[in-house]
Every structure is written in C-alpha cells, then in structure tokens.
C-alpha cells in the first residue's frame, strides 16, 4: 500500500478568487495551472496542497471537497482500492494528465493519479 495525499481539492464555480482567499488565510502562494480551471495553493506550512477546481454547478450528489492521491503505481492502487470496496466512477485524461475517480464505500469520491 503506497498512497500519498497529494492535494485536497475543492469544487467551486470560480476557482481563482476562492484559491486566493485560502492562500491569504493560510499564507500560501497561488499557482494557476489552467487559466482558471484548476488553481493550486502551495507552500501551506508543509501540508498537502489545496486545489480549486472550476465546475459548472457543484451538485449535492458529488462531494465538493475530495482527496487527490498519488502512487508510484496508480493502476495497481486503483485495482487494490476496488478490491477493498471502492467503486470506479470515471477515468480522465485531460491537459496531459490522467487520473481515476473512485468512490469510497459510502460514495465519497476521490482521485488517484500516477505520482
């Protein structure tokens, strides 16, 4: 088992101002990775980065905050997590970055990507 918390990600309708707000609160720096679609707050006292992901409409059937996990062998970890009771929600490959969305046994979604 080798998962690392890479980021805690918030769904939001307007990522840049929310990321800036958290950066001010936590003393972090803002890095806009995709023209406002995904914004990261870094250098937050040695803890995982905070991500702010623009979505058209945060819905009640998807958690608005989720874990982004990485592994040296993401495919094996996804397989292991599914065997432990997680369910596969979707696979994505955008902006040159691939990740898998899973849900825990209670339906809370989280992402796994190659580290």
């Amino acid at each position: 088992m080798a998962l690392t918390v890479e980021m805690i990600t918030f769904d939001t309708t307007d990522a840049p101002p929310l990321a800036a707000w958290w950066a001010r609160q936590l003393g972090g720096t803002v890095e806009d990775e995709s023209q406002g679609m995904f914004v990261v707050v870094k250098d937050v006292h040695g803890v995982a980065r905070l991500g702010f992901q623009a979505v058209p409409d945060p819905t009640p059937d998807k958690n608005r905050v989720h874990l982004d996990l990485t592994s040296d062998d993401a495919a094996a970890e996804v397989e292991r997590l599914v065997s432990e009771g997680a369910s596969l929600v979707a696979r994505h490959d955008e902006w040159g970055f691939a990740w898998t969305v899973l849900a825990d046994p209670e339906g809370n979604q989280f992402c796994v990507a190659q580290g």
Side-chain angles (χ1 to χ4, degrees):
M1 196 172 355
L3 287 172
T4 301
V5 175
E6 177 68 20
M7 191 172 332
I8 299 168
T9 302
F10 296 76
D11 285 354
T12 175
T13 55
D14 197 2
L18 187 58
W21 186 88
W22 277 104
R24 286 192 308 275
Q25 307 318 307
L26 300 171
T29 57
V30 174
E31 180 180 299
D32 188 335
E33 296 192 348
S34 60
Q35 295 138 359
M37 292 302 295
F38 196 82
V39 182
V40 174
V41 175
K42 297 170 69 172
D43 305 320
V44 182
H45 312 291
V47 299
R49 301 180 305 161
L50 300 179
F52 298 85
Q53 173 175 283
V55 297
D57 184 25
T59 59
D61 50 330
K62 180 182 182 288
N63 45 306
R64 292 180 68 168
V65 176
H66 67 272
L67 294 176
D68 283 336
L69 306 171
T70 58
S71 173
D72 290 336
D73 189 347
E77 282 301 310
V78 166
E79 186 176 311
R80 183 187 68 76
L81 290 160
V82 168
S83 75
E84 290 286 330
S87 56
L88 179 64
V89 175
R91 295 183 191 275
H92 298 280
D93 189 346
E94 299 176 27
W95 311 299
F97 182 72
W99 71 97
T100 302
V101 180
L102 299 168
D104 69 16
E106 295 218 352
N108 299 299
Q109 293 184 13
F110 61 98
C111 299
V112 177
Q114 190 68 31

